Amino acid sequence: MTENWLNELTDWVAGNPGWLVAALFLTALIESLAIAGIIVPGVALLFAFAALAGKSGLPLSEALLWAGLGAVVGDVISFAIGRLLQGRLNTVWPFSRYPRLIARGETFFRAHGGKSVVIGRFVGPIRPVIPLIAGALTMSWQRFLGFNLLSAVGWALVYILPGFFVGSALANEIKPPPHFYLVLATSGAALVVVYLVVLRVRLGVGEGSWLYGWLESRMAQYDTTHRFWRLYSNERPSHQGEFPLPSLLLTITTLALFVALAQLVGVTDQIKFVNQQVLLWFGALRQPLLDLPMIAFTLLGDPPVLLAAAVLAVLVLSFRGYYAAAVHIAIAATATAVSVWLLKEGVGISRPQEVLSAPDSSAYPSGHTAGITVLVTLAASFIASENRNTQRWQQYLFLSLPILPVALSRLYLGVHWVTDVLGGLLLGLAITGAIRASYSRYDRVPLSPDALTWLAGAGWLAFVGAYMMITWDTAILNYTPLP
């Protein structure tokens, strides 16, 4: 029954493309509306309408705008209903039929406060009730609207882009390169395995592990090493005496791998062959449709974007009195920029010549990959340190996701070899590990976010948007593939 009316609705919209924008707006509104978002299969409808938008040639900006506006309006209506019914949600129909859902929403909101409006957009069944709960628990309109507008940007990208690109691909008859699905599946499986191993190792050598206990017992026997232990001890009340063993192991391991790769990239024919094959594979994948998101991803790793994030973080942390954290972030940014520049000059690997205007610098390592790796992994480590060990992997996993599209964009656009990207990743992880190991001496006060932190985040997003608008035409020209 449900499948029938879904098909009939999408067929009707496909036959009446003038209503496509209204369909996106209304579906996003209903999907975000309290309780209605549980009953109506909004995710499936949004995917179908986004695919129609991509297939019909509707500009991506319009699809994102109208879907985002619908989500904002739906949340505002839910918030207003919650404010109107505060204290009576469990007694008024239809909310009285979902007491467990309302209770879960209240628990989630009390645990996460204002940021639950952002997180709640992406968390399963509680998604449609968080704005309702926020209104019922008297969250201010100003705060709610700020969080609502900020989260709508990410929501629209996550919910609209997949369907839009599927529809555009069908309309353009994109032909993937040889073995596309096999390579994609193999690469995805390898990434999952590597990530699980890295997380298992990193989270498995912290306080309470057998290796940590063995090292602690040995170091406590000697005065010299015990002073070293105290020097690098984490004196936070929740983690008394925590030695930064995971950070040090991360630094040593990734730095060793980076040095080994740097020694091989210019002298080994097998690595050159792999670089060439990967370049040819991504070259066969290039399509006008995919160029736009890939250029957007690569702009996220541009030095001005990363520098703006570092400067804002240093200013906010300094203003709030977290001077040690501010200094360490400044050191991380400086170390990344200087090491990438020195290594490019020292190793001297030439770039692929696949685009109209390739960057002037050498190839190894990828500065974009190194920069975005330091930015997101350092942010993940600071955030994860505020949570219990059992929760840390979630922050590492979620916040490190931007590394993948930025790194892939450098390969797709043909401005880096695959070894450059791997080198940038390893270098970035080594810098993050070293910074976190050093900072653990000063990690005494929880770095809880406040209104200034969120304002700085919104300011950075605004800067990113402005930067992309200013540099977009030049970037499209520079990354145009050679005939």
Side-chain angles (χ1 to χ4, degrees):
M1 181 73 71
T2 301
E3 185 178 352
N4 290 336
W5 75 261
L6 279 175
N7 291 335
E8 291 175 1
L9 180 59
T10 52
D11 289 343
W12 185 87
V13 174
N16 299 270
W19 288 90
L20 183 55
V21 166
L24 284 169
F25 176 84
L26 291 174
T27 304
L29 188 155
I30 295 172
E31 202 273 339
S32 302
L33 200 58
I35 303 303
I38 303 173
I39 302 170
V40 176
V43 176
L45 281 173
L46 280 173
F47 183 89
F49 292 149
L52 288 176
K55 195 173 182 179
S56 66
L58 182 74
L60 175 60
S61 57
E62 289 190 27
L64 292 173
L65 174 64
W66 287 105
L69 285 176
V72 169
V73 172
D75 277 1
V76 167
I77 294 174
S78 298
F79 183 86
I81 293 173
R83 180 61 59 87
L84 181 66
L85 299 177
Q86 53 184 295
R88 296 185 293 144
L89 285 181
N90 291 325
T91 60
V92 176
W93 184 90
F95 311 113
S96 57
R97 296 186 57 187
Y98 302 92
R100 294 180 60 184
L101 183 60
I102 298 298
R104 287 178 61 188
E106 289 184 0
T107 301
F108 189 84
F109 183 84
R110 294 183 189 280
H112 299 283
K115 63 179 181 290
S116 64
V117 177
V118 179
I119 303 171
R121 279 198 184 274
F122 307 93
V123 180
I126 66 169
R127 182 173 63 253
V129 300
I130 289 297
L132 180 78
I133 299 300
L137 296 182
T138 66
M139 182 181 186
S140 70
W141 272 101
Q142 293 86 346
R143 288 192 71 205
F144 172 77
L145 288 175
F147 285 121
N148 186 23
L149 292 171
L150 181 63
S151 62
V153 176
W155 178 90
L157 291 171
V158 170
Y159 278 75
I160 298 302
L161 282 181
F164 187 90
F165 286 136
V166 168
S168 299
L170 293 174
N172 288 276
E173 297 182 352
I174 292 179
K175 296 180 180 179
H179 315 299
F180 175 76
Y181 297 106
L182 177 61
V183 170
L184 201 64
T186 304
S187 302
L191 281 174
V192 170
V193 170
V194 169
Y195 214 96
L196 288 175
V197 170
V198 170
L199 283 178
R200 180 65 179 172
V201 170
R202 179 168 175 77
L203 299 181
V205 295
E207 190 173 13
S209 69
W210 69 268
L211 180 59
Y212 185 97
W214 178 85
L215 184 60
E216 182 178 30
S217 65
R218 293 298 184 273
M219 295 184 80
Q221 298 175 9
Y222 303 99
D223 184 61
T224 302
T225 53
H226 192 56
R227 284 200 299 269
F228 175 77
W229 179 277
R230 289 201 308 272
L231 177 66
Y232 279 99
S233 288
N234 181 336
E235 299 179 15
R236 294 162 53 84
S238 59
H239 300 292
Q240 286 286 351
E242 183 178 354
F243 184 70
L245 183 59
S247 298
L248 290 176
L249 287 179
L250 177 68
T251 303
I252 295 169
T253 304
T254 53
L255 190 59
L257 292 172
F258 174 81
V259 172
L261 185 60
Q263 296 294 318
L264 295 173
V265 288
V267 298
T268 305
D269 291 336
Q270 287 81 358
I271 288 184
K272 293 180 180 178
F273 175 77
V274 170
N275 278 334
Q276 288 289 349
Q277 293 302 306
V278 173
L279 182 67
L280 291 172
W281 192 86
F282 275 98
L285 184 61
R286 285 209 69 162
Q287 301 285 342
L289 172 66
L290 298 178
D291 285 354
L292 300 183
M294 286 300 176
I295 290 174
F297 289 141
T298 214
L299 290 177
L300 284 176
D302 275 9
V305 172
L306 301 177
L307 179 62
V311 169
L312 282 172
V314 169
L315 290 176
V316 169
L317 290 169
S318 298
F319 183 81
R320 298 185 61 198
Y322 298 120
Y323 302 113
V327 169
H328 278 76
I329 289 177
I331 293 173
T334 304
T336 304
V338 172
S339 60
V340 167
W341 178 74
L342 290 175
L343 287 162
K344 284 180 178 291
E345 294 296 319
V347 179
I349 300 295
S350 298
R351 288 180 181 267
Q353 299 298 318
E354 300 292 317
V355 294
L356 196 61
S357 181
D360 296 329
S361 60
S362 299
Y364 186 88
S366 166
H368 282 67
T369 307
I372 195 69
T373 299
V374 172
L375 173 65
V376 300
T377 56
L378 202 55
S381 66
F382 275 109
I383 294 172
S385 66
E386 306 303 323
N387 295 290
R388 298 188 300 272
N389 285 334
T390 55
Q391 296 177 330
R392 291 183 181 181
W393 70 270
Q394 300 173 11
Q395 281 79 30
Y396 289 130
L397 179 60
F398 178 74
L399 290 172
S400 61
L401 288 178
I403 297 174
L404 188 59
V406 172
L408 287 178
S409 71
R410 306 305 285 170
L411 298 174
Y412 173 86
L413 296 172
V415 293
H416 272 298
W417 308 105
V418 67
T419 49
D420 304 335
V421 171
L422 291 175
L425 176 64
L426 293 172
L427 177 64
L429 290 174
I431 292 173
T432 295
I435 293 297
R436 279 302 305 177
S438 175
Y439 180 73
S440 66
R441 294 174 294 168
Y442 308 99
D443 196 10
R444 301 183 180 93
V445 181
L447 298 175
S448 56
D450 63 354
L452 182 61
T453 306
W454 292 107
L455 181 62
W460 181 73
L461 289 176
F463 174 84
V464 172
Y467 176 81
M468 286 190 175
M469 291 178 61
I470 294 171
T471 60
W472 187 254
D473 291 338
T474 303
I476 289 179
L477 179 62
N478 290 341
Y479 292 118
T480 299
L482 290 173

